[in-house]
Amino acid sequence: MIEIKNLAKKFAVENPKKLSEQEKKDPRLKGRFFHSVLDVSFKVNQGEVLGLLGPNGAGKTTTLRMLSTALQPDQGSVDINNVNVLKNPLLARQKIGFLSGSTGLYGRLTGRENIEYFGQLHGMSKSGIESRISELSTMLEMESFLDRRSETFSTGMKQKTSIARAVVHNPEVVILDEPTTGLDIMATQTVLDFIRSLKKSKVPVIFSTHHLGEVEELCDRVTVIDKGISQFDGSLQEFKNQAQDGNLHGAFLATIQQGEL
């Protein structure tokens, strides 16, 4: 299980004059600091998939980067199986597999070499890495391009390789930041099937998305973040109940509107 409590993160604004009018009106702007995340809490149990929703700029990516230890939170805790991983970033990186929306591959390396490198960083044995790459290559349908240099990859190939690289060490929790953005239908289906396989293996998954169809198809739980605050955290059915007709689009809008009251 992973449990996040009261995460918060602010950033210094170097030049307030360069802020857009929308940014100047954002209530999270306080003096020379922008409080990207004010108070975010949620939890995911073993074998559950949580969909992280929110408008652009809500604080979702900042939250996920704190979970991955790429950012140090100003306050809050992240517990994985009752261990506070923020107190030990090295332990957190062992337990978490994180796919960022912006991390690129090493273009001169093949897909296999990119994955091998991350396996080595995690201290895996050569045989363990080879076995895991074989497994992931089949699951993510990578056989046709695994040994090509990644600078020649399509968007879908890059995303599959990035996912394999993130989970090569068999993490206890997997965090995916918009994993299907920019993918075609076939690549998207492969990624969604991979998330299902993680769920079947009882690995908790947190993934952010703007595609409500993916939420309905995969998720057990939903968390909605708006203006740096978790406005909803509950089961998929409880989220549907936010709208009279059970429509996810209506439930999302109703949750955001309630947070603005």
Side-chain angles (χ1 to χ4, degrees):
M1 182 184 78
I2 179 169
E3 187 170 14
I4 290 85
K5 292 182 180 178
N6 308 119
L7 282 185
K9 181 66 178 179
K10 67 179 183 292
F11 299 94
V13 179
E14 294 183 4
N15 191 344
K17 293 181 180 180
K18 291 187 176 181
L19 294 174
S20 68
E21 288 302 315
Q22 182 178 358
E23 289 171 328
K24 291 177 181 178
K25 294 178 181 177
D26 195 309
R28 290 175 290 175
L29 180 63
K30 300 176 182 178
R32 295 188 63 86
F33 289 94
F34 184 78
H35 296 254
S36 179
V37 174
L38 288 165
D39 187 1
V40 167
S41 301
F42 57 86
K43 66 178 180 179
V44 194
N45 295 312
Q46 293 299 116
E48 288 186 336
V49 176
L50 179 141
L52 188 63
L53 304 177
N56 288 332
K60 302 187 300 299
T61 293
T62 300
T63 296
L64 296 183
R65 291 185 69 196
M66 285 190 283
L67 301 191
S68 75
T69 72
L71 286 177
Q72 180 68 34
D74 297 324
Q75 68 177 46
S77 63
V78 177
D79 289 353
I80 298 178
N81 297 328
N82 298 315
V83 176
N84 188 333
V85 295
L86 293 182
K87 293 181 178 179
N88 188 338
L90 290 178
L91 177 63
R93 290 164 195 158
Q94 293 170 5
K95 290 179 175 288
I96 295 172
F98 177 59
L99 174 72
S100 167
S102 58
T103 303
L105 300 173
Y106 297 103
R108 292 190 174 186
L109 300 183
T110 65
R112 184 186 302 276
E113 289 167 342
N114 269 281
I115 302 167
E116 284 177 344
Y117 177 57
F118 270 65
Q120 291 167 3
L121 291 178
H122 284 290
M124 297 174 66
S125 67
K126 184 176 180 180
S127 61
I129 293 172
E130 289 176 354
S131 175
R132 182 64 169 154
I133 289 177
S134 177
E135 178 186 14
L136 291 169
S137 176
T138 300
M139 294 172 70
L140 289 166
E141 300 179 1
M142 299 172 60
E143 294 94 338
S144 64
F145 61 87
L146 186 62
D147 292 303
R148 285 168 45 188
R149 283 169 61 155
S150 60
E151 63 188 4
T152 69
F153 286 0
S154 67
T155 300
M157 294 172 184
K158 289 177 181 178
Q159 192 71 326
K160 290 179 181 182
T161 305
S162 294
I163 291 172
R165 187 176 66 173
V167 301
V168 65
H169 59 301
N170 283 301
E172 294 180 30
V173 175
V174 173
I175 300 169
L176 307 171
D177 190 3
E178 299 188 11
T180 62
T181 297
L183 302 189
D184 63 26
I185 294 172
M186 297 302 293
T188 294
Q189 192 58 52
T190 300
V191 172
L192 298 183
D193 287 343
F194 180 69
I195 294 174
R196 288 191 189 89
S197 73
L198 292 171
K199 180 177 179 178
K200 188 175 181 180
S201 299
K202 301 298 182 184
V203 177
V205 179
I206 300 168
F207 79 101
S208 64
T209 181
H210 291 293
H211 303 294
L212 294 176
E214 294 176 1
V215 173
E216 180 138 39
E217 188 175 344
L218 291 174
C219 292
D220 304 285
R221 299 185 62 83
V222 174
T223 295
V224 179
I225 298 176
D226 187 32
K227 295 183 175 62
I229 298 173
S230 46
Q231 304 288 355
F232 177 87
D233 176 44
S235 70
L236 178 61
Q237 187 56 54
E238 289 170 337
F239 181 59
K240 289 181 176 181
N241 292 342
Q242 300 298 300
Q244 290 184 347
D245 60 0
N247 178 274
L248 289 183
H249 185 265
F252 177 77
L253 292 177
T255 301
I256 297 299
Q257 290 165 0
Q258 287 174 9
E260 292 176 349
L261 296 178

